[in-house]
Amino acid sequence: MSSKHRASDLPHEGRTAEATVANGESARTLDRSQRVRLGDQLYGQIFDRIASGELNVGDKLPSEHEICEQFGVSRPVVREALLRLRADGLVSAYQGLGTFVIHQPAPRLKTFGDVQNVGAYLRAQEVRLALEGEAARLAAMRRTDEQLKKIVEAHQAFAEALAQGRVSAEADLAFHASIAEASGNDFFLGVLETIHESIHGFMRLSLNLTRTGSKQRAERVMDEHASILAAIREQDGERARTTMQFHLGQARYRLVDRERD
């Protein structure tokens, strides 16, 4: 297989990446003793190389067979990781040419550590889209004045911390948890608790990028939170669901695409 094949509409002239990932010197095998599933680990390995610049926009990934050989995993594991990389907008497959990197996260993401777990974090984000969207809709319809006050206070605390450059995942979680609580259904909080570790990890990475990123990035996060709060305050259930899902979707994109910094 030639490593020089390249899709004609790729935005940059990138170096070939097959040797970068498949080369034993730079490779890291997957750890079957970990609780993290193999698909997530493989996703994390490739994501790590894209985030670090080992794989750049325009670079071609090895074939499925080569990745199987490199990491000692089955084709279904490789396909799962590649499909999710495509769904997250990091790579794209071109018929007859192969799979190429089309977007990169902000390079500073690597400095925060924990990148290897990003696969699990993003899968948890998919659950949150459905779960928290509905929780926000119900919160708008059912919230009491006291619950609204709690959401407002959590929003203000998050805004103040972000403005001072010391925002934490706990502050973000408090805002989202106050909305789930206002839904009037304890199961929402219960399900969120079961994926708490992944949610917390996602928020930690996202907020580190926001804290060290552009002013516009922080403003977008605050505008999204404010829109959710406004819909809940006005008891507009459908708008609350839509704004929550938009916020969670944008948070996902901001993590994987440096152009959204």
Side-chain angles (χ1 to χ4, degrees):
M1 177 188 303
S2 171
S3 62
K4 298 298 183 183
H5 289 168
R6 166 172 315 283
S8 60
D9 57 349
L10 287 174
H12 298 292
E13 284 294 316
R15 59 188 169 76
T16 181
E18 292 192 14
T20 303
V21 176
N23 188 310
E25 291 182 1
S26 62
R28 288 165 291 190
T29 57
L30 306 187
D31 184 356
R32 285 167 172 75
S33 67
Q34 290 188 26
R35 287 167 42 193
V36 180
R37 52 190 297 201
L38 292 177
D40 284 343
Q41 289 188 55
L42 182 56
Y43 180 106
Q45 291 273 1
I46 299 173
F47 185 100
D48 181 62
R49 285 163 171 73
I50 296 173
S52 68
E54 289 181 48
L55 296 173
N56 291 301
V57 171
D59 286 346
K60 181 181 178 183
L61 269 64
S63 68
E64 287 184 9
H65 174 73
E66 288 168 329
I67 297 175
C68 288
E69 290 290 317
Q70 164 69 32
F71 292 99
V73 293
S74 65
R75 279 185 181 266
V77 170
V78 174
R79 287 171 181 166
E80 175 193 343
L82 293 179
L83 282 171
R84 287 174 48 211
L85 287 163
R86 285 162 58 185
D88 289 333
L90 292 165
V91 304
S92 184
Y94 294 85
Q95 186 67 35
L97 294 174
T99 300
F100 294 80
V101 178
I102 59 172
H103 284 111
Q104 284 179 289
R108 67 183 185 283
L109 182 65
K110 274 286 291 182
T111 67
F112 303 130
D114 215 17
V115 174
Q116 284 298 307
N117 294 321
V118 75
Y121 297 164
L122 291 172
R123 279 197 302 111
Q125 198 73 356
E126 292 175 355
V127 174
R128 294 182 68 199
L129 274 168
L131 188 74
E132 293 195 51
E134 182 62 12
R137 184 184 74 84
L138 292 175
M141 297 168 60
R142 298 174 177 175
R143 56 85 178 161
T144 64
D145 290 343
E146 186 61 32
Q147 288 170 332
L148 177 61
K149 180 182 177 183
K150 187 173 182 179
I151 297 170
V152 170
E153 290 173 348
H155 172 69
Q156 291 174 340
F158 178 85
E160 290 171 6
L162 186 60
Q164 297 171 12
R166 55 176 181 80
V167 69
S168 66
E170 286 73 20
D172 199 359
L173 277 167
F175 175 72
H176 286 269
S178 66
I179 293 171
E181 184 178 352
S183 72
N185 187 330
D186 292 342
F187 282 106
F188 283 108
L189 277 174
V191 175
L192 288 176
E193 182 61 32
T194 65
I195 56 173
H196 176 272
E197 184 177 344
S198 291
I199 293 176
H200 191 275
F202 177 90
M203 287 181 170
R204 186 170 58 249
L205 284 178
S206 298
L207 291 172
N208 276 331
L209 286 172
T210 297
R211 179 177 52 79
T212 59
S214 67
K215 181 180 178 181
Q216 290 74 21
R217 182 186 179 107
E219 288 173 348
R220 283 193 290 270
V221 174
M222 284 310 309
D223 287 346
E224 290 163 18
H225 274 206
S227 295
I228 296 166
L229 173 58
I232 293 173
R233 177 185 281 120
E234 296 164 21
Q235 297 189 292
D236 187 333
E238 287 306 312
R239 183 154 61 94
R241 178 171 61 82
T242 300
T243 52
M244 175 63 81
Q245 290 180 331
F246 176 78
H247 167 58
L248 294 174
Q250 290 299 299
R252 181 189 185 99
Y253 292 134
R254 281 191 289 265
L255 182 66
V256 301
D257 188 355
R258 67 180 175 188
E259 294 178 8
R260 292 174 181 257
D261 201 11

